[in-house]
Amino acid sequence: QVQLVESGGGLVQAGGSLRLSCVASGSFFSINTMGWYRQAPGKQRELVAYITSGGTTNYKDSVKGRFTISRDNAKNTMYLQMNSLKPEDTAVYYCNLEGVYLITRTITNYWGQGTQVTVSS
C-alpha cells in the first residue's frame, strides 16, 4: 500500500518558522512530482509548491522567498521549510505525490491526510 504521512504542523506566531515533512512509503516504480497543497476552512485546496524528480521547483506567488520545498529521494521524503509565516498561511497542508506504483504500473496521484498549520498574529 502507498502511504503519505505529513508531520511538522503546529501553532506558531507570525514571523515564525515551521518545517513540514512528508514521508512516502510503498513500492514505487518511480516518483515523479511531489507537492504541497493547503486548504483553509471554506476555501478551495490550492497548490503551494511542487518539486520534480529532477529538482525543479515551483511556488505559489505569495510564498515565494519565504517557503522552500526540497526532497530526499533516498528517503522518499519531501520537506517544506516555511519562514516568515503569516496568518494567511493558516491551513491544513497536504502532501501530494505523483508516481508510478510498482504493481499497478500506472501513474497515480496520492494524498496524505494533512497537517494543521496555524499562524497567530
Side-chain angles (χ1 to χ4, degrees):
Q1 290 184 327
V2 173
Q3 286 187 308
L4 302 179
V5 180
E6 303 100 331
S7 62
L11 175 64
V12 65
Q13 285 187 307
S17 298
L18 287 172
R19 183 177 175 87
L20 305 184
S21 298
C22 172
V23 180
S25 62
S27 298
F28 291 96
F29 177 78
S30 65
I31 297 175
N32 301 328
T33 301
M34 300 182 72
W36 288 99
Y37 291 72
R38 68 187 182 188
Q39 187 169 23
K43 305 295 183 181
Q44 290 187 322
R45 189 173 299 184
E46 63 180 3
L47 175 68
V48 178
Y50 70 77
I51 182 168
T52 69
S53 60
T56 300
T57 60
N58 199 8
Y59 298 88
K60 176 180 172 64
D61 286 343
S62 63
V63 308
K64 288 180 178 178
R66 300 189 297 119
F67 291 9
T68 302
I69 190 170
S70 61
R71 63 192 287 175
D72 185 337
N73 291 329
K75 294 181 170 64
N76 286 341
T77 301
M78 177 180 63
Y79 306 94
L80 185 67
Q81 178 66 47
M82 304 185 294
N83 299 325
S84 302
L85 282 162
K86 303 175 181 179
E88 51 263 44
D89 296 319
T90 296
V92 177
Y93 283 70
Y94 296 90
C95 176
N96 174 264
L97 181 153
E98 179 190 278
V100 179
Y101 191 53
L102 184 63
I103 297 176
T104 64
R105 306 293 180 90
T106 57
I107 189 166
T108 308
N109 275 279
Y110 303 93
W111 292 92
Q113 294 186 357
T115 184
Q116 177 70 49
V117 172
T118 303
V119 184
S120 63
S121 59

